[in-house]
Amino acid sequence: MIEVDADGPIRTVTMNRPDARNALTVDGLEALESAIGEAEAPVVYLRGRGPAFCAGADLNEVAALEGDRDRAAAFARLGQRVARTIEDSPAIVVAGIDGPARGGGLELALACDVRVGTPDSTYGEPGVSFGLFGAWGGTVRLPRVMGEGDALEFALSGRSIDAETALRTGLISRLEDDPRSVAEEIAGNAADALGVLKRRLRDDGERATQERREADSFADLVAAHADDIDALLE
């Protein structure tokens, strides 16, 4: 269900249920959490096998909850935990989105550091049409990424948007025929600088604290890369 290729500076994590549009079961979510959480490479590339990125939660799993509120909340918390694992990973996590990203699949992409779509990628939160909504952190991240106005219209309408609209609204940051090329571009940089920069850009502390942490991190990198800096001047 989850495949991992850990060769080189990029750890490729593939959601591999193409017959189910890579919909995630409890086992799949737990396997995805481990695949991301155990990453030692500086860059993780997350993708789906086949014609979809990820359809989100497997609806058979949702139906099996049988309306039990406690079990439903636990299922939501598991998805939230996986999204936090992606967001908090020391690695730079790049989502390569080809085909549909729906519901929880889109929410996991929102937790990634960089989202790259192909021209054939599409995006949607269709749960509202049958009385649900994505609960894997999407209500927190979507307005942060798209802006409140676009996020509200997108989520409340339940409509799907194409790659160009996703790019315009900030849902994705790049549009590429081969999304992995962006992961390779990022992996070509200094691994320690990548990790530090992610932590600083993800820092949600108040401004003075952020600036102090930024200065401290910059000082650490200058000390670590003094020879590299000297070489630039030669």
Side-chain angles (χ1 to χ4, degrees):
M1 185 177 293
I2 303 295
E3 294 182 350
V4 176
D5 180 354
D7 233 4
I10 300 176
R11 181 183 183 92
T12 301
V13 177
T14 304
M15 295 174 283
N16 187 22
R17 287 186 74 203
D19 55 327
R21 299 198 308 162
N22 300 317
L24 290 163
T25 62
V26 168
D27 288 345
L29 283 166
E30 290 174 343
L32 181 58
E33 180 181 27
S34 296
I36 302 290
E38 295 169 1
E40 296 181 356
V43 176
V44 171
Y45 180 58
L46 178 63
R47 66 178 184 175
R49 178 84 69 200
F53 175 71
C54 179
D58 188 317
L59 290 181
N60 292 310
E61 295 265 349
V62 178
L65 298 173
E66 299 180 333
D68 186 302
R69 294 188 78 261
D70 290 339
R71 291 170 62 201
F75 185 66
R77 285 194 293 270
L78 173 59
Q80 291 169 354
R81 194 177 77 207
V82 177
R84 284 197 306 275
T85 297
I86 293 171
E87 191 170 65
D88 295 342
S89 171
I92 308 303
V93 185
V94 179
I97 305 167
D98 188 24
R102 296 288 187 271
L106 175 58
E107 292 185 287
L108 294 178
L110 285 169
C112 295
D113 303 302
V114 179
R115 288 168 297 283
V116 184
T118 71
D120 293 329
S121 61
T122 60
Y123 308 81
E125 284 277 15
V128 70
S129 66
F130 49 90
L132 293 177
F133 69 93
W136 293 352
T139 58
V140 176
R141 296 184 181 92
L142 191 64
R144 185 192 306 163
V145 169
M146 293 182 81
E148 185 177 285
D150 282 331
L152 279 165
E153 188 280 329
F154 174 60
L156 296 174
S157 68
R159 72 187 179 106
S160 295
I161 60 175
D162 61 18
E164 291 288 350
T165 305
L167 182 63
R168 177 181 60 78
T169 58
L171 194 55
I172 58 175
S173 53
R174 294 271 286 272
L175 193 55
E176 299 284 348
D177 291 326
D178 178 14
R180 185 182 171 86
S181 65
V182 178
E184 293 170 351
E185 180 183 326
I186 291 170
N189 294 309
D192 56 350
L194 289 174
V196 168
L197 190 54
K198 171 175 175 171
R199 289 194 297 275
R200 296 289 65 81
L201 290 170
R202 289 286 200 185
D203 195 337
D204 60 0
E206 54 91 22
R207 190 179 70 179
T209 302
Q210 287 188 37
E211 289 177 345
R212 175 178 56 77
R213 290 170 178 164
E214 183 181 66
D216 288 344
S217 297
F218 177 73
D220 289 342
L221 288 172
V222 167
H225 290 277
D227 292 342
D228 298 326
I229 296 166
D230 285 342
L232 293 174
L233 300 174
E234 294 175 356

